[in-house]
Amino acid sequence: DAGVIQSPRHEVTEMGQEVTLRCKPISGHDYLFWYRQTMMRGLELLIYFNNNVPIDDSGMPEDRFSAKMPNASFSTLKIQPSEPRDSAVYFCASSLGGGAYRAFFGQGTRLTVV
Amino acid sequence: GDSVTQMEGPVTLSEEAFLTINCTYTATGYPSLFWYVQYPGEGLQLLLKATKADDKGSNKGFEATYRKETTSFHLEKGSVQVSDSAVYFCALGAQKLVFGQGTRLTINP
């Protein structure tokens, strides 16, 4: 199995631009998580899905952030418009069955907003 | 709300030294506790876990014991290797995880 695949690995964009991060979970997994990692705030859960349905988006920082999961094989995290404080590493993780601790993480997308 | 506090890093040790990374938590009820490891350029990997008081999680020579009386889950290893250099995260929860800030560990040969 290829594991959780995220793209791109690195993204540099200008403030005000739209950014879309992509994630392909492990085949057969029914939970998908999006995390953000920064030096200041550590690792934070943004949102998670179960069977493609968003279950808890209380970690999404503001309306500029949105996440979708149109099918079991694909999810996106979009930031529009982007701001320098959004610079972070964004991780996607997926798991089979409940329990976030069972999740396998992708390698992350390092986003830099200039 | 629930929270996790880890010892601040970075921690630098020589190979074969004894390692302790402290972790304490605040939570309602009795959550499961975890240690994760993050190698450079990679995502987090579950290292070990404990689901109830006095449980000891262990993996790859690392150990941690769930201490309810001190609300702690300290990570230990008797003899570290250069390959153990990574960032270590303590976490608690079940469906949602709360992570500590992470401790960067560097092992010198």
Side-chain angles (χ1 to χ4, degrees):
Chain A
D1 197 315
V4 176
I5 300 173
Q6 292 185 244
S7 64
R9 290 293 310 279
H10 302 274
E11 175 81 41
V12 180
T13 191
E14 291 185 347
M15 182 174 61
Q17 296 298 306
E18 177 181 293
V19 176
T20 300
L21 311 182
R22 298 172 173 78
C23 175
K24 176 178 169 55
I26 293 173
S27 177
H29 282 188
D30 56 352
Y31 282 80
L32 184 138
F33 306 84
W34 281 101
Y35 290 91
R36 179 173 67 175
Q37 184 179 39
T38 62
M39 290 293 290
M40 290 297 293
R41 300 174 66 89
L43 195 66
E44 305 170 281
L45 176 67
L46 299 177
I47 185 172
Y48 76 92
F49 296 81
N50 176 220
N51 290 324
N52 313 336
V53 176
I55 303 301
D56 186 341
D57 65 354
S58 59
M60 295 286 264
E62 48 197 277
D63 291 345
R64 297 185 297 105
F65 285 70
S66 62
K68 294 182 179 179
M69 193 165 186
N71 58 62
S73 302
F74 185 64
S75 177
T76 60
L77 178 67
K78 184 178 294 186
I79 308 172
Q80 165 64 18
S82 57
E83 297 182 3
R85 60 194 169 114
D86 301 331
S87 297
V89 181
Y90 292 82
F91 287 102
C92 175
S94 70
S95 70
L96 178 61
Y101 74 93
R102 295 195 181 104
F104 291 80
F105 281 72
Q107 291 182 295
T109 295
R110 181 175 295 277
L111 173 65
T112 303
V113 183
V114 298
Chain B
D2 295 353
S3 66
V4 175
T5 302
Q6 288 181 234
M7 66 185 289
E8 291 189 14
V11 174
T12 302
L13 296 172
S14 297
E15 204 165 24
E16 299 183 1
F18 184 86
L19 168 71
T20 300
I21 300 178
N22 290 340
C23 171
T24 57
Y25 66 90
T26 302
T28 53
Y30 303 104
S32 295
L33 301 173
F34 311 93
W35 276 101
Y36 284 80
V37 59
Q38 184 180 26
Y39 298 106
E42 298 185 9
L44 276 69
Q45 301 175 27
L46 179 63
L47 180 61
L48 54 84
K49 66 179 174 71
T51 58
K52 61 182 187 296
D54 299 325
D55 265 4
K56 177 185 284 188
S58 61
N59 186 24
K60 299 181 181 180
F62 291 89
E63 293 182 338
T65 301
Y66 191 140
R67 301 287 188 198
K68 187 176 68 173
E69 62 277 11
T70 55
T71 61
S72 65
F73 193 55
H74 304 322
L75 182 68
E76 296 182 336
K77 186 174 185 181
S79 176
V80 292
Q81 305 300 312
V82 173
S83 57
D84 294 327
S85 298
V87 181
Y88 291 81
F89 293 88
C90 186
L92 63 79
Q95 193 55 44
K96 293 172 63 172
L97 293 177
V98 175
F99 289 88
Q101 286 291 99
T103 302
R104 182 175 299 278
L105 173 66
T106 300
I107 307 299
N108 294 320

